[in-house]
Amino acid sequence: MVDWDIRQASAADAAEAAELRALVLRDDLERLGRYDEQRVRQRLRDGFDPAHTWVIEVDGAFAGCVALRRAGDAHWLEHFYLAPRLQGRGIGSGVLRGLLEQCDRDGVLVRLNVLRGSSARRLYERHGFTLETEGPVDVFMVREPA
């Protein structure tokens, strides 16, 4: 397991997060016929809110990001990206576990969407997310508080 840390994001983190999003989602978006080099970055920039976003760091360097945004009856888990070289090493599970523990303490439902066919879906299922609805591109999942 790799040592990692998490900190509150700042507006300055948006560019690096947008680049990571483009890298992480490229294969899935291409498979779905949806990859657009500018749009993939712009969608993150349009939805980036440092007040609800955290940066994941490994050895003091940017390694990923995640957002948890309150909306209605739930929190939305968004913009959860981790550098490919660090995936599969327990960092994503550790970050997700910490966020979900807080949601459980608050008794809050958590929702997310993941691209159809994405391997990230298995991570979410291991942490208690279940299918809510599925479309041609997105899979919407939900997790009840423990």
Side-chain angles (χ1 to χ4, degrees):
M1 183 131 136
V2 175
D3 288 331
W4 55 273
D5 201 4
I6 191 166
R7 66 166 171 83
Q8 189 71 49
S10 71
D13 295 309
E16 202 160 11
E19 289 305 311
L20 180 59
R21 181 179 196 269
L23 174 66
V24 169
L25 294 185
R26 184 176 191 130
D27 289 346
D28 284 333
L29 288 170
E30 284 180 342
R31 178 179 42 76
L32 294 166
R34 299 291 204 146
Y35 186 77
D36 177 302
E37 196 165 318
Q38 280 74 43
R39 186 168 187 241
V40 70
R41 291 169 175 84
Q42 193 60 47
R43 286 199 57 178
L44 183 124
R45 288 185 200 106
D46 290 347
F48 189 83
D49 183 350
H52 304 290
T53 306
W54 292 267
V55 168
I56 304 159
E57 295 182 326
V58 173
D59 296 328
F62 184 97
C65 59
V66 62
L68 193 63
R69 177 182 53 85
R70 183 84 191 209
D73 68 339
H75 282 355
W76 277 88
L77 184 71
E78 302 171 316
H79 305 306
F80 192 10
Y81 310 114
L82 187 63
R85 66 183 170 76
L86 297 168
Q87 292 176 8
R89 300 173 78 184
I91 298 169
S93 288
V95 169
L96 186 56
R97 189 171 25 263
L99 292 172
L100 294 176
E101 286 171 359
Q102 181 61 49
C103 291
D104 287 347
R105 283 193 294 276
D106 295 342
V108 179
L109 189 77
V110 181
R111 287 192 161 90
L112 61 82
N113 71 294
V114 63
L115 291 172
R116 181 186 275 262
S118 172
S119 61
R121 182 174 175 173
R122 289 190 304 274
L123 169 70
Y124 299 130
E125 289 172 339
R126 284 195 309 271
H127 286 87
F129 285 87
T130 58
L131 176 68
E132 190 168 36
T133 62
E134 191 168 353
V137 175
D138 292 307
V139 175
F140 291 88
M141 302 181 80
V142 64
R143 181 184 178 273
E144 298 282 340

